[in-house]
Amino acid sequence: MAERQRGVCCAPERRMPARRVEQLTEVLKALADPTRLEIVAILRDATEPVCVCDLTAPFDLSQPTLSHHMARLRQAGLVESEKRGIWAFYRLRTDLPVAVKRFVEAVG
């Protein structure tokens, strides 16, 4: 009988491509912040893009702080924005990966 080597007996296959793991990790990091999670829920339910200025009241945060949160969500690939004058209007991306879309839809 061969001596069993630790961690080598029945190594499971890694099922997710590295790029996919990296992408989902960035999304989950962005959503791990309570403010950003609530912003995503607001954008999910919005019928049109939301101005960053309109988010200051429900969160009692300054516009620069909210812009920082929106930048994190944009970097994670969750939102897209358009400029209208001096303001940025945000919406969830329509091309979110299926797993991310399911998670966002499940957010209460």
Side-chain angles (χ1 to χ4, degrees), residues 81-101:
S81 65
E82 63 181 88
K83 289 283 274 184
R84 296 183 195 166
I86 62 169
W87 297 108
F89 286 74
Y90 293 88
R91 67 177 163 256
L92 288 180
R93 291 180 55 145
T94 57
D95 61 347
L96 290 174
V98 174
V100 174
K101 195 176 286 191

